[in-house]
Amino acid sequence: KAKCLATSASMARRLIELAPAPKVLQQAKQVLAACEKAGLSDAVELKYDARNPFVTCNGTFEPIYKGSKTVSDPACGAKYSPDCAGQVCNVSQVGKVGADGSGLMVSHSQA
């Protein structure tokens, strides 16, 4: 719908490599054929590099590529870009992003 044909073709190729169920494989091949027929270009520029591993920022939903700085929620470990430090975690709704947390501490000396 957004006419991101190059990105769609790339994702369809990767899906085909995974050898999915026959119905999904057929759909991926149809998408790939349609993208190649219409020309491989993206109408909208995406902040996405298919060749670079990443995790998704849980605050902005943008990729954080390998080697970039991240901060996390001490309660659940969700990753965020440094811009989101100090906010309440969107995943756990408990922790403060970037804060230090000791986790669960169990002591046998407590009675």
Side-chain angles (χ1 to χ4, degrees), residues 84-109:
C84 297
Q87 299 177 2
V88 175
C89 177
N90 293 334
V91 177
S92 69
Q93 297 291 315
V94 175
K96 187 175 183 181
V97 176
D100 289 332
S102 60
L104 178 63
M105 301 196 57
V106 178
S107 174
H108 294 288
S109 64

Side-chain angles (χ1 to χ4, degrees), residues 50-98:
R51 296 171 298 278
N52 195 352
F54 66 92
V55 295
T56 304
C57 173
N58 287 285
T60 62
F61 301 110
E62 293 180 355
I64 304 172
Y65 292 106
K66 186 176 182 179
S68 299
K69 293 189 180 248
T70 62
V71 291
S72 60
D73 170 31
C76 69
K79 300 288 184 192
Y80 289 86
S81 61
D83 302 348
C84 297
Q87 299 177 2
V88 175
C89 177
N90 293 334
V91 177
S92 69
Q93 297 291 315
V94 175
K96 187 175 183 181
V97 176

